Amino acid sequence: MYIDKKCDRSYDDILDRIKRVHFIGIGGSGMCPLAEILISKGYSVSGSDMNDGDTLQRIIGYGVPVFMGHKAENIEGAELVVYTAAVKQDNPELVAAREKGIPAIERSVMLGILARRFKNAVAVSGTHGKTTTTAMLSQVLIGSKFEPTAVIGGKLPAIGGNSYVGDSEIMVCEACEYVDSFLQITPAVAVILNVDADHLDYFENLDNIKKSFRKFLAQTSDAAVVNGDDKNTLDCVNDSPVPVITFGFGEENDYRAVMTSPETTVYDAFDLYHKSEKLCNIELSVPGKHNVYNALAAAAAAHYLGVKADDIAKNLHEFKGVHRRFEILGKHGGVTIADDFAHHPTEIKAALTAAMNMGFRKVWNVFQPHTFSRTAMLLDDFADALSIVDEAVILEILPVREVNTYNIYNTDLGKKVSGSKCIDTFEEAAKYVCDNAQDGDLILTMGGGNVYMCANLINKMLAEKAGE
């Protein structure tokens, strides 16, 4: 249910009064960077998690005490507890914190507290493209020796993780709109990539989404960098309290792309203009028109912060992508395997359009729908997007935080996608595509859940089939 939320600033000075912080779910991609920032600032950190993984091992590598599983005694000695949105209110560590009178704040509140400690905090928002754009901007700033602190929603190969702790006054972070988490951030620069109908289980309608983005913009102090080609975004910035810098393909934008690669193929090279001045030519190493928009946003924000055009071009060219964003996992027997996080029809359409223009003999899409509400509310849009590819395999809907009160199933989507095949398990789906894909094909797994496990299985099966 949509709630008219506001920024919680009641804990803004808490880091001046404490030294020991405990993270519930410390291995999460959103929690690990915050822990790293505090560690770098000299705080004593501990944490707990239910699952092992790369991010958890990264934290353990700092000498941080990490407990597997959640128990009340894990918070012993903590002066502040930070928890993820996924943590339920009856979590024993959260209950213990309340019983002991230890302040407990949600991850988005901590992100806001940290961001306000940087003079130039850049918050990257939008329905689609946040992780890629945050990663692009971070790589440009790091590669240009601007030494930002970065909080990224996915692993950036250039830094070997999803966070970076620099010594400047610049911080770059993702600002997620779901349940209005981004309203906890009061940035100097707000980037709005696009505004689309999503998370309707919370927002209910597009008007409420726009309302939240307007509130986010109202909390911004210096400038807004926004997609000037997106009508919904422009609707949100009509009465902006800060200067608006636009990017896009249209000539009216402050920063615009003039394509120098064929627009009918991969959209990977363009001239970057600032108003009437050509700044540089940018050759991207990631495909798709959507990535041109992401690169434009990163370039505009970087240029605003003082990065030279040549440095922007160099570092955007060196950007090879983010974990689970059209990530190539392997090639066996002439078949390429890739995985992508796309889980909204707009994202899916962008990624599949790029894939279809890359010259593969045939593109196979193994799609895992993410949440019953999104699938039910955007069913026709999903069908249109999945119809782009040569072969669509539709897995069971991942429930995430929901129960199926919508009475929606993968077969409902399958009926609307001609020639598609509905398969429930990863094992069956992997066997099906491995048995049928041929030399020159691309198999692209897609979804916001754990479909990457299916991708890894496909990669393994094809390697074995090829005798590797």
Side-chain angles (χ1 to χ4, degrees):
M1 182 178 66
Y2 181 65
I3 302 171
D4 192 13
K5 289 187 179 179
K6 296 181 180 179
C7 181
D8 181 0
R9 301 196 59 170
S10 58
Y11 294 98
D12 271 9
D13 67 342
I14 195 165
L15 292 179
D16 297 325
R17 297 184 279 109
I18 59 101
K19 276 293 181 183
R20 173 85 159 75
V21 185
H22 180 81
F23 286 82
I24 307 176
I26 196 168
S29 62
M31 294 283 271
C32 173
L34 304 187
E36 285 188 295
I37 293 171
L38 291 181
I39 292 167
S40 74
K41 301 295 183 183
Y43 290 85
S44 176
V45 169
S46 65
S48 62
D49 214 300
M50 295 297 293
N51 302 297
D52 200 355
D54 292 343
T55 51
L56 195 68
Q57 289 302 316
R58 183 179 174 108
I59 288 295
I60 292 173
Y62 290 109
V64 170
V66 173
F67 306 96
M68 297 308 296
H70 301 306
K71 298 178 182 178
E73 55 265 33
N74 292 347
I75 69 164
E76 194 65 39
E79 297 172 280
L80 173 66
V81 170
V82 183
Y83 60 94
T84 69
V87 168
K88 295 180 180 179
Q89 294 303 305
D90 62 355
N91 179 282
E93 295 178 21
L94 199 53
V95 171
R98 294 191 179 114
E99 290 176 347
K100 294 175 179 289
I102 301 171
I105 60 176
E106 202 268 324
R107 179 246 177 208
S108 62
V109 176
M110 174 55 83
L111 178 60
I113 292 170
L114 290 173
R116 280 186 284 280
R117 292 180 168 243
F118 291 81
K119 181 181 179 181
N120 293 313
V122 182
V124 181
S125 72
T127 313
H128 321 294
K130 292 184 290 292
T131 296
T132 297
T133 304
T134 304
M136 282 180 168
L137 178 56
S138 298
Q139 185 154 336
V140 168
L141 292 169
I142 294 167
S144 303
K145 309 300 183 186
F146 272 57
E147 284 301 300
T149 292
V151 177
I152 309 166
K155 183 177 179 180
L156 175 59
I159 59 175
N162 64 333
S163 59
Y164 185 88
V165 179
D167 58 8
S168 74
E169 286 294 317
I170 299 173
M171 179 180 185
V172 182
C173 64
E174 287 187 40
C176 180
E177 77 279 8
Y178 182 59
V179 298
D180 280 326
S181 293
F182 66 166
L183 296 184
Q184 300 302 330
I185 307 171
T186 54
V189 180
V191 177
I192 304 180
L193 300 170
N194 39 63
V195 177
D196 204 350
D198 195 15
H199 302 302
L200 297 177
D201 57 319
Y202 171 75
F203 286 110
E204 298 173 0
N205 55 59
L206 183 59
D207 285 341
N208 283 339
I209 296 173
K210 290 180 179 180
K211 181 179 178 181
S212 287
F213 273 94
R214 291 188 189 101
K215 289 170 69 176
F216 176 61
L217 189 61
Q219 298 177 174
T220 302
S221 62
D222 293 359
V225 177
V226 309
N227 186 342
D229 292 349
D230 183 57
K231 181 182 182 301
N232 289 337
T233 299
L234 294 179
D235 287 346
C236 297
V237 303
N238 284 336
D239 300 312
S240 172
V242 294
V244 174
I245 301 166
T246 58
F247 63 85
F249 287 81
E251 292 187 4
E252 70 281 0
N253 289 300
D254 297 307
Y255 290 86
R256 63 189 179 94
V258 176
M259 300 308 302
T260 54
S261 64
E263 296 180 18
T264 54
T265 56
V266 293
Y267 277 89
D268 60 358
F270 63 93
D271 288 332
L272 174 65
Y273 279 80
H274 179 219
K275 300 188 184 298
S276 60
E277 178 188 3
K278 177 183 172 181
L279 296 181
C280 57
N281 179 261
I282 294 175
E283 294 184 3
L284 296 178
S285 299
V286 288
K289 188 175 183 179
H290 60 299
N291 276 320
V292 175
Y293 275 111
N294 295 336
L296 281 170
H303 200 240
Y304 175 83
L305 293 171
V307 181
K308 294 178 181 178
D310 288 347
D311 286 333
I312 293 172
K314 175 180 180 292
N315 287 287
L316 282 177
H317 174 67
E318 292 176 355
F319 176 79
K320 306 298 182 184
V322 188
H323 176 54
R324 296 218 63 216
R325 271 67 178 181
F326 216 111
E327 181 181 14
I328 304 296
L329 301 180
K331 185 175 182 179
H332 311 286
V335 179
T336 301
I337 309 94
D339 179 51
D340 197 277
F341 188 72
H343 55 280
H344 183 281
T346 302
E347 299 165 347
I348 294 167
K349 186 176 182 180
L352 295 184
T353 299
M356 291 295 287
N357 287 325
M358 293 174 70
F360 291 100
R361 188 194 75 88
K362 183 180 283 190
V363 175
W364 298 71
N365 180 223
V366 180
F367 174 60
Q368 181 188 50
H370 190 262
T371 74
F372 299 118
S373 59
R374 182 185 285 118
T375 307
M377 294 177 181
L378 302 175
L379 189 65
D380 288 340
D381 294 328
F382 276 115
D384 289 343
L386 294 177
S387 296
I388 291 173
V389 291
D390 300 297
E391 302 285 349
V393 175
I394 304 171
L395 297 164
E396 277 191 316
I397 300 170
L398 191 70
V400 193
R401 52 190 172 264
E402 301 177 337
V403 293
N404 193 6
T405 57
Y406 298 86
N407 196 32
I408 186 80
Y409 300 93
N410 61 341
T411 51
D412 296 309
L413 178 55
K415 291 172 185 175
K416 291 177 174 287
V417 182
S418 179
S420 65
K421 190 172 182 66
C422 293
I423 301 177
D424 290 342
T425 71
F426 291 166
E427 291 76 12
E428 291 174 297
K431 185 177 186 307
Y432 174 73
V433 295
C434 288
D435 285 347
N436 291 282
Q438 298 179 32
D439 187 358
D441 288 0
L442 167 70
I443 300 173
L444 177 61
T445 57
M446 188 171 282
N450 62 347
V451 71
Y452 62 87
M453 296 172 68
C454 186
N456 292 336
L457 187 57
I458 292 168
N459 197 29
K460 180 182 177 183
M461 283 185 177
L462 286 175
E464 292 174 350
K465 186 177 178 181
E468 298 174 10

